[in-house]
């Protein structure tokens, strides 16, 4: 097998193939061997039950036929990439809740009653649901991790999978993940901890890795690929009329406070385990939650990054590690581009825009060593919370590069005023306060400047700073649009406004990272609503604004780099040289070349 792989690679890699009037270049790669690693069996989250073959083939056909997609309700108007219909009560995408005083004219379809009666008889529920959301997913579609709205629905949630199987991942706030295969005609019951605390989501992809019914002889894995088909989910819930009093206040929107900063700001990590937990809570989960608005405020490529991409020879293989919404993947169409990001929500946005992307941690990118002509890492490495992890991120970029390959790295600068020039991050603070709008402000920040921000100079921000300074030994909470007073800090992201990119399986909605001067608009009024379902406690809190309404506040961890720090970090990696370094609008930047 190894000889055959080498021969195929030698004969076919880089060969041009003719397809009608078009020619395409064929690229191959292979690995010498894959080590098998036994994984311990992980039990279901507490309160989660899966009942296979809960509905018959006849019931499946009746349920699918009961959905009249031609008479879709208002929910469908808000969605672009998935079909959805509500019964009983409509989940409102403008306020991320249910209007409990306005039931829909038609209740749940009669075809659902026998199935629900069976759930009642089997003790899976204590009361019949009064709300149904039907979602239909084509192959390749998925849902970012989320927790269903506590205040909108009672404890037990039922979800029936029809038409095709899928793998749903449950994840504990501490990082433990449990993949659950949802076969056709199965019933998933979420209650207690699994309903209130664990996030659940479906990674957007066209194939799932599932247990094999008949494992191949000699195979130790017992796994096989399952091609996804069109899956329709029926999710039943009971409307909640009183505030939620669950045992998980950190994830509960009914019990959250009104403080604009975390109730207990974390400390800087002192070991690898602490660092992974901090980044999971204050980076990964936050970007999954704010992905939709983040993407809409990140659509104008920065000139120096575009210049680097345009300077690469045609046919070069480029990987964008931490690609966000993919805005740099299409800058130079003559490149072969692939992107990866830790946020599955952002990866889904990239995929919907037609880019080749996958979910991956920047410390372990599943690409072959020396397979790329160029790498970019735009506003990613400053999210790693220890020197060792920031160094590992640079090493991983260098590993991917071919000899002679180049990497461009951007990180947020501690020095927002450089050579007697303030960055637009600071200048926009003054112009916003004076009611002006800068003509040379990048397009991505103008979108968030269309109306004055209630946060820019409000007492809320000052209270954040005062409270953080009193918390000795903890990370400080940065006051947006001001100079930094420490290198390690939490940066607030306020959500306010309109609707988000997509919706969630059960609650019907998710609200959804960084680039040069990544927080150009994070302190401004955001143009999206937040779903309580995706609340990444405790990095998400509520902040009161004039008029008495509340807006969610997320907190992201940053290590802002001082002058010379990025170059010093890179010189610790063997086999590279720093070609150039520069300051670009509040960012320190380097171009590296692999020797």
């Amino acid at each position: 097998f190894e000889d055959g792989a080498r021969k195929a690679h030698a004969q076919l890699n880089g060969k041009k193939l003719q397809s009608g009037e078009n020619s395409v270049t064929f690229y191959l790669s292979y690995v010498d061997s894959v080590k098998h690693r036994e994984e311990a069996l992980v039990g279901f989250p507490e309160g989660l039950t899966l009942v296979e073959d809960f509905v018959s083939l006849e019931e499946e056909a009746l349920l699918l036929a009961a959905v009249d997609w031609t008479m879709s309700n208002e929910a469908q108007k808000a969605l672009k990439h998935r079909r959805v219909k509500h019964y009983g009560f409509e989940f409102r995408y403008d306020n991320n809740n249910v209007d409990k005083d306005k039931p829909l004219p038609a209740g749940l379809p009669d075809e659902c009653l026998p199935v629900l009666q069976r759930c009642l008889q089997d003790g899976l529920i204590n009361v019949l649901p009064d709300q149904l959301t039907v979602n239909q997913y084509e192959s390749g579609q998925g849902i970012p991790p989320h927790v269903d709205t506590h205040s909108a629905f009672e404890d037990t949630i039922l979800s029936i999978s029809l038409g095709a199987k899928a793998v749903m991942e449950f994840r504990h706030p501490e990082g433990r993940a449990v993949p659950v295969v949802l076969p056709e005609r199965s019933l998933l019951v979420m209650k207690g901890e699994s309903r209130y605390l664990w996030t659940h989501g479906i990674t957007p992809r066209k194939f799932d890795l599932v247990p094999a019914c008949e494992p191949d002889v000699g195979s130790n894995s017992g796994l096989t690929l399952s091609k996804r088909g069109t899956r329709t989910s029926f999710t039943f819930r009971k409307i909640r009329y009183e505030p939620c009093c669950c045992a998980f206040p950190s994830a509960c929107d009914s019990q959250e406070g009104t403080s604009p900063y975390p109730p207990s700001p974390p400390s800087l990590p002192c070991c690898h385990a602490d660092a992974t937990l901090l980044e999971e809570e204050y980076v990964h989960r936050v970007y999954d939650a704010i992905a939709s608005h983040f993407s809409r405020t990140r659509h104008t490529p920065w000139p120096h990054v575009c210049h680097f991409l345009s300077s690469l020879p045609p046919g070069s293989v480029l990987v964008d590690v931490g690609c966000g919404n993919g805005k740099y993947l299409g800058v130079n169409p003559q490149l072969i581009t692939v992107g990866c990001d830790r946020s599955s929500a952002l990866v889904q946005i990239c995929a919907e825009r037609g880019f080749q992307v996958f979910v991956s941690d920047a410390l372990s990118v599943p690409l072959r060593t020396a397979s790329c002509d160029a790498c970019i890492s735009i506003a990613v490495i400053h999210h790693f919370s220890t020197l060792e992890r920031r160094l590992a991120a640079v090493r991983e970029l260098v590993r991917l590069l071919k000899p002679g390959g180049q990497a461009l790295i951007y990180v947020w600068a501690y020095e927002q005023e450089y050579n007697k020039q303030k960055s637009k991050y600071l200048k926009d603070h003054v112009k916003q306060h004076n009611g002006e709008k800068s003509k040379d402000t990048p397009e991505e920040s103008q979108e968030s400047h269309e109306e004055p921000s209630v946060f820019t100079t409000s007492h809320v921000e000052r209270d954040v700073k005062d409270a953080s300074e009193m918390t000795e030994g903890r990370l400080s909470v940065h006051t947006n649009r001001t100079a930094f007073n420490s290198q390690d800090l939490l940066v607030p992201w306020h959500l306010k406004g309109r609707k988000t990119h997509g919706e969630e399986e059960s609650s019907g909605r998710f609200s959804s990272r960084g680039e040069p001067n990544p927080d150009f608009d994070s302190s401004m009024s955001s143009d999206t609503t937040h779903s309580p379902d995706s609340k990444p406690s405790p990095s998400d809190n509520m902040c009161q604004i004039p008029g008495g309404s509340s807006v969610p506040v997320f907190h992201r961890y940053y290590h802002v780099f001082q002058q010379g720090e990025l170059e010093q970090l890179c010189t610790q990696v063997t086999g590279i040289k720093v070609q150039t370094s520069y300051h670009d609008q509040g960012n320190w930047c380097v171009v590296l070349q692999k020797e």
Side-chain angles (χ1 to χ4, degrees), residues 208-267:
D208 285 315
L209 199 62
V210 301
C213 298
E214 297 179 3
D216 294 336
V217 177
S219 171
N220 293 321
S221 68
L223 299 174
T224 187
L225 285 176
S226 172
K227 182 176 174 61
R228 284 190 189 172
T230 300
R231 172 178 172 266
T232 303
S233 65
F234 279 57
T235 303
F236 300 92
R237 292 150 301 196
K238 177 68 177 175
I239 297 297
R240 182 189 295 278
Y241 290 96
E242 299 293 335
C244 179
C245 299
C246 68
F248 310 97
S250 65
C252 182
D253 61 305
S254 289
Q255 302 178 60
E256 64 192 354
T258 58
S259 169
Y261 48 88
S264 179
S267 302

Side-chain angles (χ1 to χ4, degrees), residues 82-100:
R82 191 198 279 85
R83 299 173 84 184
V84 65
K85 186 160 184 174
H86 296 308
Y87 294 90
F89 293 84
E90 182 176 354
F91 189 88
R92 294 278 305 275
Y93 298 119
D94 55 352
N95 61 11
N96 299 297
N97 214 307
V98 176
D99 194 336
K100 302 169 185 179

Side-chain angles (χ1 to χ4, degrees), residues 63 66-67 87-88 106-114 116 132 134 234 236:
L63 289 171
V67 183
Y87 294 90
L108 276 58
D110 294 338
E111 291 82 355
C112 299
L113 190 57
L116 296 176
L132 165 64
V134 182
F234 279 57
F236 300 92

Side-chain angles (χ1 to χ4, degrees), residues 330-351:
V331 166
N332 186 349
Q334 295 183 307
L335 304 179
I336 300 165
T337 59
V338 63
C340 62
D341 201 281
R342 183 61 173 75
S343 166
S344 59
L346 287 169
V347 166
Q348 182 174 358
I349 292 173
C350 290

Side-chain angles (χ1 to χ4, degrees), residues 276-349:
T276 57
L277 288 176
L278 174 68
E279 292 161 20
E280 172 69 22
E281 185 69 38
Y282 291 94
V283 182
H284 305 156
R285 296 179 66 189
V286 173
Y287 279 114
D288 266 333
I290 68 173
S292 177
H293 171 247
F294 179 86
S295 178
R296 282 199 297 275
T297 62
R298 297 298 187 275
H299 49 74
T300 303
W302 278 51
H304 285 287
V305 183
C306 291
H307 176 74
F308 174 83
L309 297 176
S310 300
S311 69
L312 299 174
S316 297
V317 177
L318 167 75
V319 59
D320 186 346
V321 179
C323 61
N325 68 348
K327 78 174 189 177
Y328 292 110
L329 294 176
V331 166
N332 186 349
Q334 295 183 307
L335 304 179
I336 300 165
T337 59
V338 63
C340 62
D341 201 281
R342 183 61 173 75
S343 166
S344 59
L346 287 169
V347 166
Q348 182 174 358
I349 292 173

Side-chain angles (χ1 to χ4, degrees), residues 445-504:
S445 66
Q446 288 177 359
E447 180 173 343
S448 65
H449 288 199
E450 292 177 356
E451 59 184 57
S453 168
V454 298
F455 301 107
T456 305
T457 57
S458 72
H459 69 280
V460 172
E461 293 285 14
R462 293 194 297 271
D463 290 345
V464 170
K465 184 176 181 180
D466 295 341
S468 64
E469 290 175 346
M470 290 188 300
T471 313
E472 186 177 356
R474 301 283 183 175
L475 288 173
S476 64
V477 179
H478 176 57
T479 301
N480 283 319
R481 305 289 187 177
T482 65
F484 296 115
N485 56 20
S486 64
Q487 281 191 265
D488 296 281
L489 39 82
L490 300 179
V491 178
W493 180 287
H494 303 271
L495 289 182
K496 175 191 175 185
R498 309 179 192 109
K499 49 198 177 191
T500 60
H501 166 78
E503 73 291 345
E504 298 173 56

